[in-house]
Every structure is written in structure tokens, then in C-alpha cells.
């Protein structure tokens, strides 16, 4: 077989795959005055319930070259934004008016130490009086973008 014939029979490299585009968005909005540890903590808490309520946001498990398995993660990016207290209040009103899936974190939750007390702390405050420090939202891209109006990408 000639070199030319071998080249013709060689397996072809896979064509570049089309980038994956999502019609939904996962976004977190943090109050700009939080300390770094608070930003990280609030973000982790806010997105923690999405996979349970919306299993489609979770991808497949991971495995390294040595066949060590790892938990699955979100199949799409989580975009993190920041804004003022007023930006959060406005975003909260918009997310409620659009009935989008959301999670909230209030300043009171920094003083509790468990899930039961967290829920009680939120339950004790009327919606309009919640001292929001973080909000997560999931839904169609354009709807989430409207909720986040006035927020800026987290640096």
C-alpha cells in the first residue's frame, strides 16, 4: 500500500463540534458590600437547590484518566453579578412578577447555623422587608436578563 493510499484510509479527525448554546441561564446576584467569604458562601448556598428542582441543569459524572469518578456538575455556566441593595430589591420584585425559579439569601442567614433556623429566619420576615444579600434565578435567558437589569458582572 502506498503512502498516499494509507493516508486515504487513515481515520479522519472528528470535525469541530458546534459550541453548545443554552437557551436558559443560571445567574446569581450578590450585594456589592459583602466580604469575600460571604460572596463565596452565598453563591454556593444559592445554587445548591437547582439540581434537585431542575435535574436537567446537571450534566454527566466526571472521570479522570485513571477511572476515578467525580460528581456531576451544572452543564452550563453560573453567571455571577453584583449590585446595590436597591438593585437586589428591584431584581427580587422582577423575579417574583415573572414567577421564575429563584433562591434567596438574607443577611439574617449569616447568624444562623443550620437549615431549620435558616428557613425560620426567612419565614419571620415579610417579603417587602427581606434584607437581601443574594438572589439566584434560573430560566429563559431573556427573562433572566430582564430580572438582572441594573446589575453588573462580578469582577
Amino acid at each position: 500500500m502506498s503512502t498516499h493510499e494509507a493516508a486515504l484510509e487513515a481515520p479522519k479527525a472528528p470535525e469541530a463540534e458546534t459550541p453548545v448554546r443554552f437557551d436558559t441561564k443560571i445567574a446569581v446576584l450578590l450585594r456589592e458590600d459583602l466580604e469575600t467569604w460571604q460572596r463565596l458562601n452565598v453563591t454556593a448556598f444559592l445554587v445548591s437547590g437547582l439540581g434537585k428542582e431542575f435535574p436537567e441543569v446537571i450534566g454527566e459524572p466526571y472521570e479522570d484518566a485513571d477511572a476515578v469518578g467525580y460528581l456531576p456538575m451544572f452543564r452550563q455556566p453560573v453567571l455571577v453579578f453584583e449590585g446595590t441593595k436597591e438593585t437586589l430589591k428591584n431584581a427580587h420584585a422582577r423575579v417574583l412578577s415573572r414567577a421564575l425559579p429563584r433562591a434567596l439569601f438574607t443577611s439574617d442567614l449569616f447568624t444562623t447555623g443550620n437549615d431549620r433556623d435558616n428557613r425560620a429566619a426567612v419565614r419571620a420576615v415579610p417579603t417587602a422587608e427581606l434584607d437581601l444579600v443574594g438572589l439566584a434565578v434560573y430560566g429563559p435567558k431573556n427573562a433572566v436578563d430582564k430580572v438582572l437589569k441594573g446589575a453588573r458582572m462580578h469582577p
Side-chain angles (χ1 to χ4, degrees):
M1 175 184 304
S2 71
T3 307
H4 177 70
E5 291 171 327
L8 290 175
E9 291 184 16
K12 295 181 180 178
E15 293 183 29
E17 292 185 27
T18 305
V20 176
R21 303 279 184 224
F22 299 102
D23 57 354
T24 59
K25 185 181 271 188
I26 300 171
V28 172
L29 175 57
L30 302 171
R31 202 165 73 194
E32 64 187 0
D33 62 347
L34 297 179
E35 294 182 35
T36 301
W37 73 266
Q38 291 173 317
R39 291 170 186 256
L40 296 170
N41 184 266
V42 170
T43 300
F45 269 93
L46 286 172
V47 298
S48 65
L50 273 175
K52 182 175 187 316
E53 292 297 314
F54 301 96
E56 69 272 13
V57 301
I58 303 296
E60 296 296 319
Y62 286 74
E63 185 176 281
D64 65 24
D66 295 321
V68 175
Y70 302 92
L71 293 172
M73 296 185 283
F74 290 128
R75 65 179 179 93
Q76 67 189 89
V78 175
L79 302 173
V80 182
F81 297 82
E82 70 175 6
T84 64
K85 187 173 188 171
E86 190 65 24
T87 302
L88 258 100
K89 184 178 181 106
N90 292 336
H92 186 241
R94 287 191 290 266
V95 79
L96 293 176
S97 73
R98 287 172 172 77
L100 291 172
R102 69 254 171 207
L104 81 162
F105 199 103
T106 66
S107 62
D108 294 331
L109 303 187
F110 289 126
T111 63
T112 61
N114 62 74
D115 189 49
R116 183 191 67 236
D117 292 344
N118 285 349
R119 287 192 315 276
V122 172
R123 191 178 310 109
V125 181
T127 305
E129 296 175 27
L130 292 167
D131 185 17
L132 297 169
V133 298
L135 184 67
V137 60
Y138 171 68
K141 275 191 204 181
N142 61 348
V144 173
D145 289 342
K146 288 177 183 174
V147 166
L148 297 173
K149 184 180 176 184
R152 59 190 174 280
M153 286 296 293
H154 191 282

